[in-house]
Amino acid sequence: MATIIPQQLLRAELENMLAYQVAHTEGLIKLDAMENPYPLPASLRDKWLSTLRKVTLNRYPDPQAKRLKQNFRNTFSISSKLELILGNGSDELIQLLILAIAKPNACILTVTPSFSMYKLIAKFIGVHIIQVPLEVNSFTLRPDHICKAIHENDPALIFLACPNNPTGTLWPREQIEQIVRHATGLVVIDEAYAPFAAYSMMYMAEKYSHVLILRTMSKMGLAGLRLGWLLGSAQWLSEINKLRLPYNVNALTQASVDFALSHISVFNDQVKLICKQREQLIAAMRDIDSIKVFSSESNFILFKTLRISADIIFKRLISHKIMIKNVADKGLLGNCLRVTVGTESENQAFLTALNKSLE
Ligand code: PMP
């Protein structure tokens, strides 16, 4: 029998793609992935474990996650007019949304730079993506350029990360509403970092039936559980829900997030602490004259190296046992690096290493 070769059989896109790469961080201070640096407080651990003891592992989880969804509704005061879909991280929900609109000639619109998964998932599903550049050096939105691109391309789906990753920028609500009013398809406002921001745009889901809000528990302290949620009108979500695999949120995650939501003040306090430390870190970084530091409404800070290349600083930081994210490219992010806000001592270690690396 002749050997069957993958490239002869599989979709052409796969041949030129790489599997998603995650940096090795063993033994390093991990400030690369916008995680909350604080674990579940010891006082809650035992209570959480006793909740897990009751989970029946031999049974499938509730496919509708009814109890957890009700807890989301209560915790975030979600209107009964809106529907919810839970996902295995918000990445899964981004995938469902793109799958839902993936017709021949359909396209997606987002801005650049923004969250890399929009482009990656669009690529592997085979949907064309248009990326409208943000303003050079300030990363502000250019609503007029976006509206023009909407009229020219008629995108079925628009992704706007508010605050944006990797820039940390929170764009004005009026600009987002301007885009929403011009949109000819769905607008997904990705609020992964909203807990760290001055305001949320969640109200827009009620005001406009074609606006969906995407949220995640990852940045608040539960990245390991993989739980994202999508909020919007029943008219849209009931259709998108048809693509969701029945047991996409496992029983341990359902029970753990349910537990976490019932103790949400613990996570809110951690978020407040992270925001305070973010401002301290920004102030300390702004004292360094060989970098430009961008403001942030998120749990990370974008900065640009002015004298030594970002690639070199990134490698030097690793030699000092600090892992951040090298986001430098040939476009608007030239010589840019992104650091996640860590604990006070982690931030201090980063500052010391950064100063040494810039010498
Ligand atoms: N949206 C944005 C803007 C993000 O930065 C991320 C993660 N970095 C996600 C969504 C995905 O988060 P998760 O899959 O962990 O919910």
Side-chain angles (χ1 to χ4, degrees):
M1 201 181 105
T3 311
I4 303 169
I5 298 164
Q7 282 73 8
Q8 287 174 349
L9 199 68
L10 303 180
R11 289 164 44 196
E13 295 94 308
L14 292 180
E15 196 174 348
N16 302 318
M17 278 177 74
L18 290 176
Y20 190 78
Q21 306 288 312
V22 178
H24 295 288
T25 53
E26 235 179 79
L28 305 182
I29 294 182
K30 198 171 178 315
L31 301 174
D32 64 329
M34 286 85 92
E35 293 142 329
N36 170 347
Y38 302 105
L40 195 63
S43 57
L44 280 188
R45 255 175 187 259
D46 286 344
K47 270 197 194 168
W48 167 58
L49 289 173
S50 51
T51 311
L52 291 189
R53 251 180 230 117
K54 291 183 212 132
V55 176
T56 47
L57 295 181
N58 57 321
R59 302 288 178 198
Y60 284 106
D62 174 3
Q64 308 300 340
K66 287 184 287 299
R67 185 190 156 116
L68 179 56
K69 277 190 190 166
Q70 190 53 50
N71 205 342
F72 267 108
R73 287 187 178 281
N74 301 343
T75 309
F76 293 95
S77 309
I78 296 172
S79 154
S80 57
K81 290 187 208 128
L82 297 177
E83 264 313 314
L84 261 177
I85 299 181
L86 305 186
N88 187 359
S90 46
D91 282 347
E92 188 196 20
L93 297 168
I94 295 169
Q95 185 180 28
L96 286 188
L97 286 159
I98 300 180
L99 276 173
I101 60 92
K103 292 200 291 195
N105 302 323
C107 75
I108 297 171
L109 186 144
T110 190
V111 296
T112 182
S114 193
F115 182 38
S116 60
M117 288 308 276
Y118 307 142
K119 187 176 170 190
L120 198 70
I121 297 175
K123 196 172 163 196
F124 71 60
I125 294 179
V127 179
H128 179 58
I129 185 161
I130 296 147
Q131 296 173 287
V132 181
L134 295 173
E135 196 66 67
V136 185
N137 282 329
S138 65
F139 302 119
T140 48
L141 206 56
R142 300 197 292 181
D144 294 342
H145 290 223
I146 295 177
C147 290
K148 186 166 173 270
I150 291 174
H151 293 306
E152 285 169 3
N153 300 285
D154 194 19
L157 191 56
I158 299 176
F159 284 108
L160 295 168
C162 303
N164 189 35
N165 169 17
T167 61
T169 341
L170 179 64
W171 302 305
R173 280 181 276 231
E174 303 72 48
Q175 296 189 346
I176 304 296
E177 285 212 50
Q178 183 186 343
I179 295 165
V180 164
R181 282 194 296 269
H182 278 82
T184 50
L186 272 178
V187 181
V188 177
I189 303 179
D190 181 347
E191 291 205 319
Y193 303 98
F196 307 95
Y199 51 85
S200 157
M201 318 241 183
M202 217 189 245
Y203 72 94
M204 281 192 221
E206 243 188 293
K207 195 166 166 192
Y208 304 98
S209 62
H210 65 295
V211 170
L212 308 182
I213 303 288
L214 186 62
R215 287 277 192 122
T216 177
M217 297 307 289
S218 297
K219 315 299 167 187
M220 288 191 76
L222 301 173
L225 292 176
R226 309 300 297 128
L227 199 284
W229 45 293
L230 184 67
L231 185 68
S233 62
Q235 181 196 1
W236 283 103
L237 290 206
S238 57
E239 296 303 314
I240 293 158
N241 194 40
K242 293 176 187 169
L243 291 169
R244 184 180 59 85
L245 296 176
Y247 305 111
N248 63 327
V249 179
N250 74 72
L252 294 174
T253 294
Q254 288 193 31
S256 302
V257 176
D258 191 44
F259 174 84
L261 291 181
S262 305
H263 296 88
I264 195 72
S265 60
V266 171
F267 297 90
N268 289 339
D269 288 348
Q270 291 182 343
V271 165
K272 269 191 214 139
L273 187 59
I274 292 167
C275 289
K276 195 171 145 215
Q277 280 158 351
R278 172 188 72 204
E279 293 314 310
Q280 286 170 3
L281 187 54
I282 289 178
M285 288 171 74
R286 286 205 168 134
D287 281 343
I288 305 173
D289 59 9
S290 53
I291 56 173
K292 174 181 162 83
V293 183
F294 295 92
S295 305
S296 171
E297 294 267 351
S298 313
N299 62 343
F300 57 85
I301 300 161
L302 185 77
F303 64 102
K304 190 181 180 95
T305 60
L306 302 176
R307 287 209 274 273
I308 306 174
S309 91
D311 292 347
I312 293 176
I313 299 299
F314 176 70
K315 284 189 195 127
R316 288 186 186 168
L317 284 169
I318 294 177
S319 73
H320 293 297
K321 305 248 175 290
I322 306 282
M323 176 59 87
I324 64 168
K325 179 88 176 175
N326 185 358
V327 292
D329 65 10
K330 292 192 176 65
L332 299 187
L333 289 174
N335 279 325
C336 284
L337 296 163
R338 187 192 68 199
V339 60
T340 303
V341 179
T343 62
E344 210 170 343
S345 62
E346 287 172 340
N347 298 340
Q348 201 48 56
F350 162 69
L351 282 170
T352 308
L354 180 61
N355 275 306
K356 279 191 199 147
S357 305
L358 289 164
E359 274 165 15

